[in-house]
């Protein structure tokens, strides 16, 4: 089952919230328009008004810049909030269906699957799916669209500088792709370790009297600590990967600014 198929299945659980989806889809093009027109307004302010000393025209275009910024923020907020509502309602429906499915499972199923493991899948894992949808997938869509629109705007303003910036895209894309694959493996291992830890905890709490009868508290604590350390290990690996990811993006941004300044200075010197 592919990721796209899973995503479409998730959308099926959010069909009842189509009104919020409509609000988000209406806000998205307005947000994209504000993001696309903002660089053009800044260039126009510098070239046509600041260079010419036209204060009246400068005040007018600054007003347009202010409206574009505020409009972009409001539409981004409306888009994000609407799809967070959709994700929250969809996850609620998913949890109800999963709970109903668990109740219909035969009793023999629970002989081989600890209740704590199922509890982790029904709670923390579904929360992770909600976060991935509302803060991951749905925020990626406008970011990608904005990137392409801004790229087209930059080509119209100066194709030379734009091409110079795109030189760093292939190696960065390859590096991020490899890092994404590694992070996915780490996240899966972390969820699995957390599920095993919760399953062990649930079994210990259910059998607390047996543990006390055999004075096995020290042994149980040591076993639980080992499972927690396993989860901590994968969480540290995830933190390292996230740190590398964000620092790479920040570094690429600085490199891109440096390339623009160097290329622009070269064109100015060469006339």
């Amino acid at each position: 089952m592919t990721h796209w198929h899973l995503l479409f299945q998730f959308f099926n659980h959010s069909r009842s919230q189509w009104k919020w989806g409509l609000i988000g889809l209406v806000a998205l093009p307005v947000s994209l328009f504000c993001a696309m027109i903002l660089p053009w307004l800044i260039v126009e302010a510098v070239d046509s008004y600041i260079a010419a000393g036209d204060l009246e025209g400068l005040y007018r275009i600054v007003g347009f810049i202010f409206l574009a910024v505020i409009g972009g923020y409001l539409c981004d907020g409306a888009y994000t909030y609407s799809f967070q509502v959709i994700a929250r309602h969809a996850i609620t429906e998913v949890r109800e269906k999963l709970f109903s499915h668990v109740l219909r499972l035969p009793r023999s199923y629970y002989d081989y699957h600890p209740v704590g493991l199922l509890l982790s899948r029904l709670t923390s894992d579904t929360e992770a799916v909600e976060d991935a949808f509302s803060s991951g997938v749905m925020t990626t869509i406008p970011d990608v669209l904005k990137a392409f629109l801004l790229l087209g705007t930059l080509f119209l303003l100066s194709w030379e500088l734009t091409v110079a910036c795109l030189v760093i895209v292939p190696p960065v894309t390859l590096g991020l792709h490899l890092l994404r694959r590694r992070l996915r493996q780490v996240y899966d291992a972390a969820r699995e370790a957390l599920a095993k830890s919760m399953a062990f905890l649930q079994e210990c709490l259910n059998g607390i009297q047996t543990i006390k009868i055999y004075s096995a508290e020290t042994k149980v604590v040591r076993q639980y600590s080992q499972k927690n350390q396993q989860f901590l290990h994968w969480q540290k690996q995830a933190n390292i990967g996230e740190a590398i990811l964000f620092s790479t993006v920040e570094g690429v941004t600085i490199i891109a600014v440096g390339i623009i300044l160097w290329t622009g200075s070269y064109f100015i010197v060469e006339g």
Side-chain angles (χ1 to χ4, degrees):
M1 186 174 295
T2 64
H3 296 167
W4 289 108
H5 183 68
L6 294 174
L7 182 61
F8 288 140
Q9 279 192 338
F10 188 85
F11 275 119
N12 287 332
H13 294 291
S14 58
R15 286 182 296 180
S16 61
Q17 302 299 318
W18 63 270
K19 293 182 179 179
W20 285 107
L22 183 61
I23 293 175
L25 293 177
V26 170
L28 179 58
V30 180
S31 174
L32 294 175
F33 174 77
C34 293
M36 182 180 62
I37 200 174
L38 189 59
W40 180 83
L41 290 174
I42 294 175
V43 172
E44 189 70 15
V46 174
D47 294 344
S48 301
Y49 298 102
I50 294 179
D54 185 0
L55 292 180
E56 182 178 353
L58 179 61
Y59 292 148
R60 184 169 58 252
I61 201 167
V62 166
F64 287 132
I65 293 175
F66 178 78
L67 291 176
V69 172
I70 296 300
Y73 283 153
L74 293 177
C75 291
D76 284 343
Y79 174 85
T80 302
Y81 178 76
S82 62
F83 279 99
Q84 283 179 344
V85 171
I86 292 174
R88 190 158 53 246
H89 283 276
I91 285 298
T92 300
E93 184 176 338
V94 168
R95 282 175 175 167
E96 292 174 355
K97 290 186 176 181
L98 285 175
F99 182 66
S100 177
H101 175 72
V102 168
L103 292 180
R104 292 195 300 268
L105 293 173
R107 284 181 295 178
S108 59
Y109 178 84
Y110 298 96
D111 294 335
Y112 303 98
H113 297 83
V115 176
L117 184 63
L118 298 176
L119 181 63
S120 174
R121 299 305 187 192
L122 292 174
T123 54
S124 59
D125 284 7
T126 53
E127 291 176 0
V129 172
E130 179 183 358
D131 292 338
F133 178 81
S134 60
S135 302
V137 176
M138 300 318 298
T139 56
T140 302
I141 294 175
D143 289 342
V144 171
L145 293 176
K146 286 180 182 179
F148 279 107
L149 290 175
L150 289 174
L151 185 63
T153 304
L154 291 175
F155 266 110
L156 293 176
L157 294 175
S158 176
W159 68 267
E160 297 94 342
L161 294 178
T162 306
V163 171
C165 290
L166 292 178
V167 172
I168 63 174
V169 171
V172 171
T173 302
L174 177 60
L176 292 179
H177 175 70
L178 297 176
L179 183 59
R180 180 189 63 83
R181 293 178 58 182
R182 173 58 181 169
L183 278 175
R184 183 186 175 189
Q185 296 174 354
V186 170
Y187 287 144
D188 289 343
R191 306 306 304 178
E192 186 70 23
L194 177 62
K196 291 181 179 180
S197 176
M198 291 188 64
F200 184 79
L201 176 62
Q202 184 270 337
E203 291 177 349
C204 291
L205 293 178
N206 285 342
I208 188 65
Q209 294 182 355
T210 304
I211 294 175
K212 289 184 175 295
I213 290 175
Y214 289 96
S215 301
E217 292 91 339
T218 302
K219 178 181 178 181
V220 169
V221 169
R222 183 170 62 252
Q223 292 176 342
Y224 183 67
S225 177
Q226 291 175 353
K227 296 182 182 298
N228 263 344
Q229 289 298 321
Q230 187 71 14
F231 173 66
L232 179 61
H233 166 74
W234 290 115
Q235 281 293 96
K236 288 181 178 180
Q237 294 296 317
N239 293 337
I240 293 174
E242 291 173 356
I244 295 175
L245 176 63
F246 291 121
S247 61
T248 300
V249 173
E250 187 69 23
V252 168
T253 303
I254 296 174
I255 293 174
V257 173
I259 292 176
I260 291 175
L261 293 176
W262 184 86
T263 307
S265 301
Y266 174 79
F267 288 150
I268 293 174
V269 172
E270 294 296 325

